Amino acid sequence: VELGQFIPEELIQELKAKTELTEEEKQDLRRAAQLKIRREKLAWLRREDEMLETDFKIKKALQFQNPDIEEGVKLLQKLLQLEVESFMVVKNPQFFDTLLKLKRYNGPKLDPKQPNPTRPEKEKRHIESIQTMADTMSKKVMALFTLKKSHTPQSFFEFIQERNAEFLEKTKNMQEQKRLLLTEMPN
């Protein structure tokens, strides 16, 4: 017995009984698996919401008149930390468009009435930071997709728009609320 060469029959039966799940235990496991899937979907939707909320706040902070450049820098830093997924970008192509615009951001217009208008050094650094972070984020987003050919950021935006049109076509008969709750491209 101690060497494992002989195992009593009653011990074998006892071990088999412990490995077989009751119907109640099977139901509990199914519920736990469904709950895990729901939690993952909810976490995905929260990340998507945070991405869109941050995108909106960036647009608001860097508006044409009286922009808050420091706030824009903070929001872009937050955006870089987010776990963005490819389908989030497909569902919301305006997000990538914002990044393209930020890569070309030049800050508020200088007052032409002032003699020799120049930007303060701190503002110049913030503007450069915004452009750099937007470029980094756009590269991060582009890396989420496996592409057959290389794309410029502009051609990639066109690719995203095509994927979004495909998504809208596949979900054209779906209620708007259900479409917004999708976390993957429907078949």
Side-chain angles (χ1 to χ4, degrees), residues 51-64:
M51 178 191 83
L52 294 174
E53 184 71 26
T54 305
D55 178 60
F56 173 75
K57 287 178 180 178
I58 289 170
K59 290 174 184 175
K60 187 176 177 184
L62 299 177
Q63 62 186 326
F64 181 67

Side-chain angles (χ1 to χ4, degrees), residues 27-150:
Q27 284 287 48
D28 287 344
L29 287 174
R30 278 191 215 107
R31 276 193 293 268
Q34 289 173 343
L35 189 58
K36 181 182 181 220
I37 291 169
R38 283 188 196 145
R39 283 186 180 137
E40 289 171 355
K41 184 173 182 171
L42 186 59
W44 193 97
L45 291 169
R46 283 186 179 143
R47 285 196 325 270
E48 180 186 32
D49 180 59
E50 190 173 358
M51 178 191 83
L52 294 174
E53 184 71 26
T54 305
D55 178 60
F56 173 75
K57 287 178 180 178
I58 289 170
K59 290 174 184 175
K60 187 176 177 184
L62 299 177
Q63 62 186 326
F64 181 67
Q65 294 188 2
N66 198 21
D68 185 351
I69 296 176
E70 286 185 42
E71 181 66 15
V73 169
K74 289 176 188 173
L75 290 166
L76 271 162
Q77 288 170 340
K78 177 183 175 184
L79 189 62
L80 282 168
Q81 300 303 313
L82 286 178
E83 280 186 53
V84 175
E85 294 188 28
S86 59
F87 188 59
M88 292 176 188
V89 180
V90 169
K91 277 175 68 177
N92 307 286
Q94 74 280 4
F95 171 74
F96 194 77
D97 187 43
T98 300
L99 296 175
L100 291 179
K101 290 175 182 174
L102 291 174
K103 285 171 62 171
R104 300 183 310 265
Y105 184 70
N106 292 320
K109 292 202 177 209
L110 296 172
D111 187 4
K113 295 175 186 174
Q114 288 183 342
N116 215 4
T118 59
R119 294 193 188 284
E121 208 48 47
K122 185 177 180 182
E123 190 174 290
K124 286 181 186 177
R125 283 194 313 272
H126 285 321
I127 291 170
E128 287 174 12
S129 292
I130 288 170
Q131 293 170 343
T132 302
M133 286 188 281
D135 185 52
T136 302
M137 189 65 192
S138 67
K139 287 177 182 172
K140 182 178 171 182
V141 168
M142 290 171 70
L144 296 172
F145 294 84
T146 47
L147 304 170
K148 293 178 182 163
K149 62 177 187 168
S150 64

